[in-house]
Amino acid sequence: PSEIKKGKFEYVVCYTADGKRKYIPESDVTAQITSILNTIKIPEDLLKEYKEHLKQSKQAEINYRNAEIGVLRAELTKTESRLDKIINMYIDGDIEKSIYEIKKQEIELKKLEIESKIKAHRNADYNFNDLISELIDITKNFANIFNLSTNFELKRNLLKLVFRTLEIKEGNLGYALSFPFNEMQNLCSHTNWL
C-alpha cells in the first residue's frame, strides 16, 4: 500500500496460509498484546500476604547477618589475641624465629580470612526483596508500561520476559507465556495458585 511508503501508517506484515502477504496495522497487534498483558494479574490479598512475608524474611536476614558478624568479630578478637601471644613468645625467647614466622603467617592469614568474611556480610546485596517487590509492581502495570513507553528496547525486553513464544498468524497473535506469568494469567478469577 502506498500509505506505508508515505510513512502515514505502520503495519506488521504476515502471511496467510496460502502464502499471500497480509498487512496488519501495528495498532491492532499492540491492542492484542495489551489485552494479553491485562490478563496477567496478582490478586491484592496475595500481594499483601507476599509483601508481609518479604518483611519477615528481611528481618530474619538482618538477624542472621548480625549474628554471623558477632561470631566473626569474636573469632577475630581471639585470633588477634593469638597473634599478640605469639609475638610475646618470640620476644621472650620462648620460640625460635622460624616457628614464629610460620605461626605469625598462619594467624595473619586467618585474620585476613575473618576480616574478608565480615566485609562480605557488610557488603552483601540486601536489595533482593526490594527487587522482587518492584517486579511485582511492574507485573501489576505491564499493559500500561508497554503502551506508554516510547522506548522500543524496553518494550522488546518486556515481551521477551513475559512471552515464551509470540507469533502472528493471519493477523492474530499466537503465544505462550513464560513462567511465572503463565500461572498469573487470569489469576484473579482462580482461587488456587499456590
Side-chain angles (χ1 to χ4, degrees):
S2 62
E3 281 17 327
I4 295 174
K5 291 178 185 173
K6 294 178 187 175
K8 288 185 177 180
F9 302 104
E10 295 179 0
Y11 288 85
V12 176
V13 178
C14 63
Y15 294 90
T16 61
D18 59 0
K20 293 182 182 179
R21 279 187 183 194
K22 186 171 183 176
Y23 295 91
I24 310 298
E26 182 183 337
S27 59
D28 291 356
V29 175
T30 300
Q32 290 179 53
I33 291 173
T34 300
S35 177
I36 295 165
L37 292 175
N38 278 326
T39 65
I40 301 171
K41 299 286 182 202
I42 302 174
E44 285 301 318
D45 58 333
L46 186 59
L47 278 176
K48 194 180 219 181
E49 185 178 317
Y50 180 75
K51 287 181 179 182
E52 184 58 37
H53 177 71
L54 281 179
K55 286 180 189 175
Q56 292 171 1
S57 295
K58 183 69 171 177
Q59 188 57 50
E61 183 180 297
I62 290 168
N63 293 345
Y64 173 77
R65 179 191 67 213
N66 291 342
E68 284 297 305
I69 288 175
V71 168
L72 289 169
R73 281 186 181 148
E75 192 174 340
L76 182 61
T77 300
K78 182 178 172 184
T79 303
E80 288 170 340
S81 292
R82 287 180 63 214
L83 186 57
D84 291 341
K85 285 179 186 176
I86 197 83
I87 291 170
N88 288 336
M89 289 174 73
Y90 175 67
I91 291 172
D92 292 341
D94 294 339
I95 58 172
E96 296 177 15
K97 184 174 182 170
S98 60
I99 294 174
Y100 164 73
E101 292 292 333
I102 291 170
K103 292 294 182 183
K104 179 184 169 200
Q105 188 175 22
E106 287 175 4
I107 295 170
E108 285 177 341
L109 282 173
K110 181 70 174 175
K111 182 180 172 186
L112 285 174
E113 179 185 323
I114 295 167
E115 288 171 341
S116 175
K117 286 180 181 179
I118 290 171
K119 185 177 180 182
H121 277 287
R122 286 189 180 137
N123 294 337
D125 181 11
Y126 293 107
N127 294 325
F128 178 75
N129 292 343
D130 295 336
L131 179 66
I132 296 297
S133 292
E134 286 179 31
L135 181 59
I136 288 171
D137 290 340
I138 289 170
T139 302
K140 290 171 30 179
N141 297 305
F142 272 145
N144 287 339
I145 293 169
F146 182 78
N147 285 327
L148 299 176
S149 178
T150 58
N151 182 335
F152 291 108
E153 189 65 27
L154 173 69
K155 286 183 172 190
R156 183 180 297 116
N157 287 336
L158 180 66
L159 294 177
K160 284 180 184 179
L161 175 70
V162 174
F163 292 97
R164 188 168 42 108
T165 61
L166 182 63
E167 60 186 1
I168 299 176
K169 291 184 181 179
E170 298 191 18
N172 294 313
L173 286 180
Y175 68 94
L177 296 174
S178 300
F179 181 82
F181 307 110
N182 58 341
E183 299 293 326
M184 292 179 194
Q185 191 174 42
N186 295 318
L187 185 59
C188 289
S189 63
H190 297 83
T191 54
N192 292 332
W193 183 49
L194 298 176

